[in-house]
Amino acid sequence: TVFHLLYSVKTLDELVFWAEIEELRSLHRNIVAEYHMTEKFPDYLGPKLTESFREGRITPDQINCLLLEYQKTVDISEMRLFVCGPPKMIELFDRNVDIKCDFEKWW
């Protein structure tokens, strides 16, 4: 089973549990993490870290592209998408992602 985390924050300071996630990634090859920052991320992160960082929000199109990639190797009907965020974001993903979304509304 592959766990693919897409984690979006405004700034680097809001990226809680980053060290813990990275430790899990180093111990388990089946954990993938991508970090999205809606404000420009600092240049001091360096090339090694910026491989996991993306600028901008996570979009349904990005998730659908990931699904196309995973579809080459796994049965995506077995995949689950868990979305946590503001209600408008959850509704956007629920309507526009090609697999069923589970979600938690916390806003």
Side-chain angles (χ1 to χ4, degrees), residues 5-6 58-60 63 80-95 97 99-106:
L5 174 67
L6 299 173
I58 301 166
T59 67
I63 292 176
R80 295 182 62 201
L81 173 66
F82 182 80
V83 181
C84 182
K88 286 186 180 183
M89 180 183 125
I90 290 171
E91 292 166 13
L92 176 71
F93 281 71
D94 196 34
R95 285 192 315 267
V97 173
I99 61 172
K100 182 184 180 314
C101 293
D102 295 315
F103 53 83
E104 176 180 328
K105 290 186 179 179
W106 54 273

Side-chain angles (χ1 to χ4, degrees), residues 67-78:
L67 289 173
L68 287 174
E69 284 300 309
Y70 278 115
Q71 187 173 340
K72 295 174 184 175
T73 57
V74 297
D75 179 4
I76 65 168
S77 68
E78 300 287 323

Side-chain angles (χ1 to χ4, degrees), residues 30-86:
N30 63 326
I31 296 177
V32 178
E34 292 179 35
Y35 307 100
H36 292 251
M37 291 190 345
T38 57
E39 292 185 0
K40 185 170 174 27
F41 56 90
D43 293 333
Y44 66 79
L45 288 177
K48 183 173 191 257
L49 289 181
T50 55
E51 291 172 5
S52 298
F53 281 82
R54 310 281 183 271
E55 285 188 72
R57 298 185 188 282
I58 301 166
T59 67
D61 285 343
Q62 288 171 319
I63 292 176
N64 289 330
C65 285
L66 281 173
L67 289 173
L68 287 174
E69 284 300 309
Y70 278 115
Q71 187 173 340
K72 295 174 184 175
T73 57
V74 297
D75 179 4
I76 65 168
S77 68
E78 300 287 323
M79 294 183 84
R80 295 182 62 201
L81 173 66
F82 182 80
V83 181
C84 182

